[in-house]
Every structure is written in structure tokens, then in C-alpha cells.
Amino acid sequence: RLAKKLKSEPLKSDFTIDLKHEIALYIWQKGEGPHLTPVPEFCTDDVNSYKADHCATTFSNFLPLCGEPVKKEDVFVAVKTCQKFHGDRIPVVKQTWEREAALIEYYSDYADISIPTIDLGVPNTDRGHCGKTFAILERFLNHSSSRTPWLVIVDDDTLISIFRLQKLLSCYDPNEPVFLGERYGYGLGTGGYSYITGGGGMVFSRIAVQKLLASKCRCYSMDAPDDMVLGMCFSGLGIPITHSPLFHQARPMDYPKGYLSHQIPVSFHKHWNIDPVKVYFTWLAPNTEEPLNGKKVGYNREDL
């Protein structure tokens, strides 16, 4: 029935974000289609959980590790910021995950030596940040050590575990053009392209950056959406993007509990209506309990 429907009725939205959600809506057909039937025996509980005794399915909860974790010194972290967020977002980075990064620089529209930030000479825009991101890619290629194989670009309100990313990157060959993160899609029903959404963090191998900048593909405007332009460019180069569900464009509270229960996440994004420091130490810190200002702290994930 669905296959027949797909032939005559194309998908409505240009954007493909949450595939499970979009398929559910497509099946539901505003109440005209078959109802979705929850079956409690199809579980997302860990295989070692006591709840698994009654499950028809279980899920192994682990972080991919394909060899020795990548060294901290092999991951260069670029943080995109601007002057208006220096006072509230950057202190969160410094309180949380900055300590995990061996190589980190903050790129802004204003040079602030107290952070310090680097002024790339690209004005801040209220829309996309394509100009800034391409300037970061150029700087990584021309000013960082050629022995640094990985680049991570994050927003100043991205919370990320570099410690877990080091393990995840053991599964990828830095000698290949790798573009890794959470995949979104644009116009996929009509021959569009996939892209890595910027808020969850975008990971590039140096080879991928070299191939991109050697091409003629650039921003169609300085305030174009950087993540979508990058997806379009890599698609044109025939370099596939690599999706990982461990990167997240949104906050933990924006996802179903069952979805996150079988993940060891690498990143979350946005500070709206949350305590981002608590979110980091609850979901992303190298240990479940980390000292904060000399005290051990632990938080309930249900509250976040």
C-alpha cells in the first residue's frame, strides 16, 4: 500500500530531518492511514538489563571502537562564535569540554585576548555562516600542522565529548575523504543532497578539506547556510557524507527517552531553557560523575 502511494504522491517536505518521525506521519496520513501500534516487547533496553527478560528484542549499548582511540593531538577543534556570545556561551565551553581538547581555537568577528578569539575578518551574520566556515577550513589547511588529520567545527552552543569522539574516529580512515556528523537531507525526493547539520558538530578528515578547497565550490553568499553548502559541495565531488546518530542537533529533552536510552552520545546542541553545564556532566562527561568546583556532582537524566 505504501509503495503504491509513494509512486503517485511524492513526499511533501523538502527537508528530511527525523526519518522515523517523517515515516510515521506518512503512514498515519492525518488519521486516515493505519494506526501505529506500540508493542512493549520490542524493547530498547540494554541486553544486560533485568527488563530484557520479557523483551522480544534488546539493544547493545556501546560506543563504536575499532582500534586505539585517536590521539587528542590528532583532533583540531574550531569553535564558531561572535562577540555578542563571548560572555555567556564561551564560559560554558571552558567549564565543560574545553579541557578535553588538546588543539582548540575560537573564531569570531572580534579578537578578544581574554578567551582568546581569532578575528577571521568575516562579519557576523544573523543567517548562515558560510563565509566564516570556509575561512576556518582555509585556516586549518594553511596554518595548522599537516600532521593533524582531523578537524571538528562546532558552534559556541554545542556540547561535545572529545573523549568519545576520539574512540569513534578509530573507525574511520583519515587518509580517505571523511565528512562525519548527523545527516539531514534537502530535496532528496527530487535528486537533492544530504548534509551534516552544523549544530551537532561537523568532522572532516584533512583529505576531505583539501579536496573541497581544491574544487571551485564555494558559498553563493557569505550568509548562506554553511552546512547545506558543504553538503552540496561534497555531493558534487562524489564524496558521501557519513551519518552517525551519536551527534545531535538538539537538546536531550527534545528526543524520546527510548531513543537516547540505547546511545552513548557524542554531542548535543542549544542552550535554550536548560542548564548546559548540567547537560554536559550528565550526558557527555568522560565519567558519569565529574568534579565541578571541587565537588562531585551527578544529575538525573530524566530532568534534562
Side-chain angles (χ1 to χ4, degrees), residues 133-285:
T133 296
F134 269 81
I136 291 170
L137 294 170
E138 296 268 7
R139 183 178 173 89
F140 172 71
L141 208 56
N142 297 320
H143 292 91
S144 69
S145 168
S146 61
R147 293 191 298 275
T148 307
W150 296 106
L151 168 67
V152 186
I153 300 180
V154 294
D155 292 347
D156 51 10
D157 59 346
T158 300
L159 298 166
I160 190 167
S161 170
I162 302 299
F163 176 77
R164 292 177 187 170
L165 181 62
Q166 290 170 244
K167 292 186 175 182
L168 181 62
L169 288 179
S170 72
C171 297
Y172 301 96
D173 184 352
N175 298 310
E176 295 288 333
V178 178
F179 184 30
L180 171 70
E182 182 182 18
R183 178 177 65 92
Y184 279 11
Y186 177 71
L188 293 179
T190 54
Y193 54 87
S194 295
Y195 63 97
I196 297 298
T197 179
M202 300 184 288
V203 184
F204 307 79
S205 64
R206 180 173 287 271
I207 302 297
V209 177
Q210 287 172 343
K211 286 183 177 292
L212 172 66
L213 295 182
S215 76
K216 295 200 170 20
C217 195
R218 292 294 185 273
C219 307
Y220 55 82
S221 69
M222 293 296 275
D223 65 348
D226 53 351
D227 48 7
M228 295 183 72
V229 170
L230 287 167
M232 187 169 55
C233 289
F234 280 115
S235 175
L237 289 169
I239 296 172
I241 65 104
T242 304
H243 171 68
S244 169
L246 307 182
F247 296 80
H248 300 88
Q249 171 69 12
R251 307 162 299 172
M253 63 194 292
D254 297 320
Y255 299 91
K257 291 173 187 172
Y259 178 66
L260 292 180
S261 69
H262 54 76
Q263 279 195 1
I264 299 177
V266 166
S267 71
F268 289 105
H269 179 228
K270 299 190 180 85
H271 292 176
W272 301 337
N273 300 321
I274 60 168
D275 181 336
V277 176
K278 283 186 180 180
V279 168
Y280 171 79
F281 283 103
T282 303
W283 289 93
L284 298 167

Side-chain angles (χ1 to χ4, degrees), residues 69-140:
V70 167
K71 294 175 185 173
K72 279 208 288 193
E73 295 75 20
D74 286 343
V75 181
F76 188 98
V77 185
V79 182
K80 290 188 301 181
T81 188
C82 61
Q83 187 175 6
K84 68 178 178 180
F85 294 131
H86 288 185
D88 55 352
R89 293 185 179 179
I90 299 303
V92 172
V93 178
K94 290 184 174 292
Q95 266 188 281
T96 56
W97 60 267
E98 184 195 65
R99 70 190 75 176
E100 296 180 48
L103 304 171
I104 183 169
E105 288 186 346
Y106 296 88
Y107 299 109
S108 181
D109 55 349
Y110 175 74
D112 182 340
I113 58 171
S114 68
I115 293 174
T117 59
I118 295 166
D119 181 1
L120 291 170
V122 179
N124 189 55
T125 64
D126 291 328
R127 296 177 62 202
H129 302 107
C130 195
K132 181 183 284 186
T133 296
F134 269 81
I136 291 170
L137 294 170
E138 296 268 7
R139 183 178 173 89
F140 172 71

Side-chain angles (χ1 to χ4, degrees), residues 31-51:
E32 298 298 316
H35 290 279
L36 303 177
T37 307
V39 179
E41 288 78 14
F42 288 105
C43 308
T44 55
D45 292 304
D46 187 83
V47 66
N48 298 314
S49 166
Y50 71 92
K51 299 177 185 175

